[in-house]
Amino acid sequence: MKVRLAFTVNDEPVELLADDYKTLLEVLREDLGLTGTKHGCELGECGACAVLVDGQPLLSCLVLAVESEGRRIETVEGLAAGGRLHPLQECFADLGAAQCGYCTPGILMTAKALLDREPHPSRERIAEALSGNLCRCTGYLQIFEAVEAAAERAETVPSAEETA
Amino acid sequence: MMRLPAFRYRAPRTIADAAAWLAENPADTMLLAGGTDLLPNMKRRQQTPATLIGLRGIRELAEIASGETFDIGAGVTLSTLVSHPHVRQRYPGLYQAAAQVATPHLRNMGTIGGNLCLDTRCTYYDQTYQWRKAIDFCMKKDGDTCWVATSSPRCLAVSSTDTAPMLQALAASVTLQSSRGARVVPLADLYANDGMHYLTRQPDEILTKVTLPAIDGWRSAYWKLRRRGSFDFPVAAAAVAAKLDGPDVIDVRIVLGAVASRPVASDQAAAILRGNRLTDELIGAASAAAADVAKPMDNTDFELVWRKSMVRTLVASALHEIRGDDVRARRRQIARQELLLISRSA
Amino acid sequence: MSRPTRVVGRPRRRVDARAKVTGQTRFADDIMLPRMLHCVLLRSTQPHARILGIDTTRAAAVDGVHLVLTGDVFPIPYGILPVSHDEHALCRDKVRFVGDPVAAVIARDEATAERAAQTIDVTYEPLRTFASPADSLAYPEPRIHEYGDHGNVHKAVALQFGDVDAAIDGADHVFDDVFFFEGNTHLPIEQHAAVALKDPDGKLVVYSSTQTPHYLHRALAKALAMPAAHIRVIATPNGGGFGGKSDPFNHEIVVAKAALLLDRPVKVCLTREEVFLCHRGRHPVLMRLRTGVTRDGRITGLDLQTLLDGGAYGSYGVASTFYTGALQTVTYDIPRYRFRGCRVFTNKPPCGPKRGHGTPQSRFGQEVQLDKIAERLEVDPAELRLRIVAPPDSLTANYMRVRTIGLAECIQRVVERSQWKDKFRKLPLGRGVGLACSSYLSGAGLPINWNDLPHSGVQLKLDRSGGVTVFCGATEIGQGSDDVLVAAVSEVLGVDPFDVRAVTGDTDLTPVDLGSYSSRVTMMMGNAAIQAAERAREILASAVSARLEVAKDRLVFADRRVFDSERPDRGVTFQEAVCIAEAAVGTIGTTGSYTPPKSAAHYKGGGVGPTPTYSYTAAVVEAEVDPETGWITVPRVWIAHDIGRAINPTLVRGQVEGSVYMGLGEALMEEQAFRRLPPRLSNALVHKFPSMLEYKSPTSLDMPEIFTDLIEHPDPEGPFGGKEVGQGPLLPIMPAVANAVYDAVGVRVDQIPVTPEKILRALKAKAAGKPPRCGPAAFPEIAWPEALLVAPPWEGGDGRASNEPPKGSRRKADAGVEATAGVRP
């Protein structure tokens, strides 16, 4: 049965009709065209589909679209704001934290939730927070460094010049 | 992509409504809490209910009350549980158990009720429909044979919940509600040692609350064995709760996880310790006795003989931790995190 | 180039980083086209069976289904290697593993296609299940394939370089060891996906997550019986390859056919389980090494035998077989050598190339055996290796050409950084260090389809806008090939990388590059790019020289300008330079291409192993092993890689650490393992755990500290002196872990993965007074073919086999093998 849903995605209101049995992942990618959120297994075993729901990192492959009603969804497409990349995005790009880039959106969103909650996490806390995101390319170390760099960068006033 | 089968979704606002709707057709209706166990199973067609009753809209299920007893609504997420100060301070074993479930994302979604009712697992069962067809299915679902032990008369799927063994060791009880009324049962009585019929919960009942008795000087510790530092279910686990008077054991409960189709208490191990001084020798004897009741089968990661031998190590580690020894190195080795050392003053 | 570089060698944000961190990179499954249909494959539930019939009537009648296909519309076989075109897009008369595709449903959405596929009735007549090489060697009938050496032996090869038996018999010590390396898989986070359509002009277009668009292009042309000129393959940005997306696949050909029949876009995306079934991963290899050494550790001869479990199809398997025996001699000095390799078919997902491709398995054996040799001779393992490192600019016994070799320095570096001398055999019980080395190719020296054509082509477009567009068929799989391409061009032309746009992996737009495998792209694409850019620079230089009246050789291209080196203020902007040149000579476009140097190995099989130059790696792994439980943890890894020149150090570090990560995964936990149900009850043979949960790959909590060192002595063969880095650093990790375990608790695990259960078993054996080892007992007797006899260079050889039959008498099949091996028939 199709249900009418209304929620916000990246601070913009969304209204759509979706079947009961659709997941948030499917609705984001296939109904809203937001293909930035990826899928690696659809069973909650890899973390690639992580998005923020009311500020919390969840796996969109296991969230029903119908249970997203009224909630605040954030995806990688909304990370950059006001024409500026988020410090996490800048640092991931600069420090080699993205190789094939497929696990990157899920990791960025999870890392964002961490920094929103804990502005200066230890390396241990970062590894723990990202322990639900698998990466097959990097070996994680450059990812940890990028999160640490982003935590530091977020403190300083953003420069007026946007780095490409 | 793997996708869910079609179903009808209903969202009650009260427990009474949920129970009534469940009673309409309990055979073809399932309850949806966090979805972290049910939805993957549905994608693999292990369960295909016509109706899902979503429980997240029921406020009462997400309440935590601390008084004489510690009452946790079944809908409380594992993340919420793990960050509750009383859990860390009074029931550190529960903290350790909940904190090691799956991953941070899944703990944000998964609930304590869901973890207690977790489907039993098996490498012949937790597979897609096509895979299971290739083995002509199995006893637990659509087939006749238990491929783990082909002459077994019962299903040998493994209890894979982390919180159940710990809560059982903490003498928790659960409330089961239906349109017929409510009943409270000791958690130990919720389970049966059968891979298929592992819950004594009736099809029209909803697990609504977990109740822990006042801590009353009991200490607790949970040690989980798995290949990696996250994602993985337990392949063996030791949940120990003990009340000490100085170096002496007044009372103790030892419950093993992931070595049977239900959490298994080792009364023999407890008997060795009860009323005695918690010495290294006694810890050794008790952990050996505990390993005796562990009967892992070849349906998880790791070889079953090794898993059984590790039960000793896990029980011993928990006992050492409860005694106040510095087990951080071992904890880091096995859990890849420090987790919590139990407080001496608890 | 004598001038310091401005782009090459500097840590830099990679050119595709911004797209990736904003989620804008469009992977294959992100492609959504109007009127697109969805394809689901139905796969065999039998491991080995004849197909008696397929009834698709119910499926075709499901509302929303547009097309149902079976093998009868795919009569033409294909495969990656010319000698093993043994696959059909959908099985025709038999299925050979659980997962072999038998039908396809194309419908309005995936769920409908899936539901319809379940209604297809396939009637099978089961045949014997071949679960392991033991089965395949024991039972020649029924044959899994009607081709191959004999029975279920796909290929057996034997090569001998010198009288190795005499060399071993005359040695001071002989070591005879058997090792086993379990199979494992790539596990890319991105599942394979493809979208096929007929473009408005009526030509076929296939987008695919492939690492090898050129080979897919060839396979489509063959399988669909269409001119390649009417087919366009676009390799979408790839979410992880590691060799798993280098074969042409069933699903790619099926959607292409469906798109042609329906004239609508058709998409397929594999589920994670299907990715495990596609596989093409690391062959399980049983190996036996008999090695003779002098009392001071020099190798007199090595006799290596390998047995590969190939799975159900050929894939790259013949090459994989040769690879298990190719690189032993390029690392250490081995004066006489015999290699015998045998690949068998079994009823499991086919094995193929995974990072390292056949070399990691025998590397494991070689490095662990060296550790045993060092112990018996009472020599430090690092010292032993330093004595026997292969010399630079030399030809090996099997005619592989070693160019630069920085291995000695790599060994010395990790020894120093890890404080090896203070730790080896000196740490308390339960802690140990292990050393191992390795080498890898910077691209296969011979192509898969034997011909004289370049292996990589680059095209440059420069125009009056001042922008540069570079075209190359190379495929970005995350390793940074787009970045290397842009770096090379911008370095030579003196522009900013952001001024350069890379167009890659599109068979309509880009010149052929053979693909991202064998770590060839930096070497081959890089050299081709330099050539194209230098030609462009030459055109600009001529025009600017004339305009400014400055001698060409005084012109510098840097900082987006072209100026007089002696009077830097005298110059023009790059954009002006292009305009001047365009006015002078017309539209500017240049090309560059690369073909590897000719190999010296002229014997059958010598086509696998040669490369322009090898990279080298040394690693020290520190391990903690609990003697009570066998539990193993790896807290630290030191690694030094002889890379020649790091083009972008940020990316290089990523490749090294990523390789260490993947090596640890293989060493400790990854297994592509199978369950054979009791034969008296069932013929089932299934993948034990085709999920990301049960197939264990390390998480962020399972990683050690990694200390990386790069040894940079530019190699004349490489672009800016660079050698490969994408595969080499993975290879020493597995043996270093096993060697560390021995140092920690005194037991040998001669098997990968090194797990707590095996360690504990070995410890118990040790305690009981038995050999302190866990590993395979024996290597089976195999009916080897007569070895080709090739005298080593220092014994008067010329790279040819003395007993190879003369050209005229060779059968056609042999010629096919030679084509694979790169030898002119």
Side-chain angles (χ1 to χ4, degrees), chain C residues 89 255 282 321 357 372 376 404 430 434 442 527 643 716 719 773 814:
Chain C
V255 292
R282 209 176 288 307
T321 307
H357 196 181
K372 298 184 188 192
R376 174 101 66 86
T404 57
S442 302
N527 277 319
I643 192 180
R773 172 188 181 262
D814 288 348

Side-chain angles (χ1 to χ4, degrees), chain C residues 39 51 159 178 222 233 328 396 420 494 515 523 528 714 763 818:
Chain C
C39 175
I51 300 173
L159 302 167
V178 183
K222 186 190 182 204
V233 174
Q328 279 62 33
T396 66
W420 171 263
M523 171 64 63
L763 283 167
E818 281 160 8

